[in-house]
Amino acid sequence: MSSTPRPASRPPRTGRRLRRAFGARHEPLVRPVDRARARAWLLATVGALLALALGTAAALLSYHATAPQADSDRLRLHRVDAVVLTLPDHDSATGGRFGGGYGNRVDVEASWTYPDGHPHTGTVQAPRSSVAGSVVPVWVDPAGAVSDPPTNRATLAVSAACTGAGGLLALLALLTLALRLRLHTLDRRSDEDWSRDWARLEPLWSGRAGHRQDD
């Protein structure tokens, strides 16, 4: 009993592009412009992988560069309770040292004791619903001056990821633009080659060359 031969499986697309880009010069249907187009796609793929690696490296470097300072701030700064002294006019509360007047927080005058019971008075942010005598938590430095809160690890990770993603998107945009320009140039070259070949072969194919010889 004879068995029907199974058709050979087609090689993967990447393998076909590699052979078309760097080999298979004996194949009659593979033109130089086809090899150039395959090389453009392969270079774009390699560039995208490199861009991914660079974006990841940028994110890791950004995280490790800012993490020590954030850890130092968490050890250096302290959270204390401040007592609200006076409230601004909520309807006209805009600006201020901490950007009061937006969202649900405003700048108010408050007092706190730190370090070692030393009294301090300054402007802090408090909820709009605060009244005189309310207690709001604030972050202060070793001298007792109000400070921005320290950055936690989760915020650092998100910021580093955004840095890496931004760099990756920028590199991918440049690669995409370069690939589109290259493919457009190759398509135009292919059309020009086809026009020259057709101008040379069409008289023979249509028989017009023989008619000219007869004339």
Side-chain angles (χ1 to χ4, degrees):
M1 182 177 61
S2 62
S3 59
T4 303
R6 299 178 59 185
S9 59
R10 298 183 63 185
R13 181 177 300 179
T14 303
R16 295 199 303 271
R17 284 179 176 170
L18 283 172
R19 289 206 316 274
R20 184 176 296 176
F22 302 105
R25 297 182 181 275
H26 61 280
E27 296 184 8
L29 298 181
V30 177
R31 303 167 299 169
V33 69
D34 296 328
R35 285 190 285 269
R37 187 179 289 109
R39 283 193 294 268
W41 276 105
L42 288 174
L43 289 175
T45 302
V46 173
L49 294 177
L50 290 177
L52 178 61
L54 290 175
T56 303
L60 292 175
L61 289 175
S62 176
Y63 180 82
H64 288 294
T66 54
Q69 183 61 43
D71 293 339
S72 176
D73 289 342
R74 280 193 295 271
L75 296 175
R76 182 177 61 87
L77 301 179
H78 301 273
R79 188 173 182 177
V80 300
D81 290 331
V83 179
V84 177
L85 300 177
T86 60
L87 296 174
D89 182 2
H90 287 188
D91 295 333
S92 61
T94 57
R97 180 185 175 200
F98 297 99
Y102 65 88
N104 294 321
R105 303 183 71 83
V106 293
D107 290 350
V108 299
E109 290 294 321
S111 66
W112 61 93
T113 56
Y114 184 86
D116 298 332
H118 289 80
H120 292 271
T121 302
T123 302
V124 301
Q125 277 200 337
R128 285 183 176 270
S129 59
S130 299
V131 298
S134 299
V135 176
V136 294
V138 297
W139 288 89
V140 295
D141 60 19
V146 66
S147 175
D148 293 328
T151 306
N152 56 41
R153 289 296 184 104
T155 302
L156 288 180
V158 172
S159 177
C162 291
T163 299
L168 174 61
L169 291 177
L171 291 175
L172 289 179
L174 291 176
L175 282 173
T176 302
L177 178 60
L179 178 62
R180 287 177 64 90
L181 291 175
R182 179 59 175 165
L183 293 179
H184 177 72
T185 301
L186 293 175
D187 289 340
R188 187 172 57 184
R189 183 190 303 175
S190 178
D191 292 339
E192 293 173 353
D193 292 343
W194 185 90
S195 297
R196 284 194 299 267
D197 291 342
W198 181 247
R200 179 171 54 87
L201 297 176
E202 189 273 337
L204 297 177
W205 175 80
S206 62
R208 291 190 298 111
H211 288 307
R212 284 200 298 266
Q213 291 177 359
D214 296 337
D215 295 341

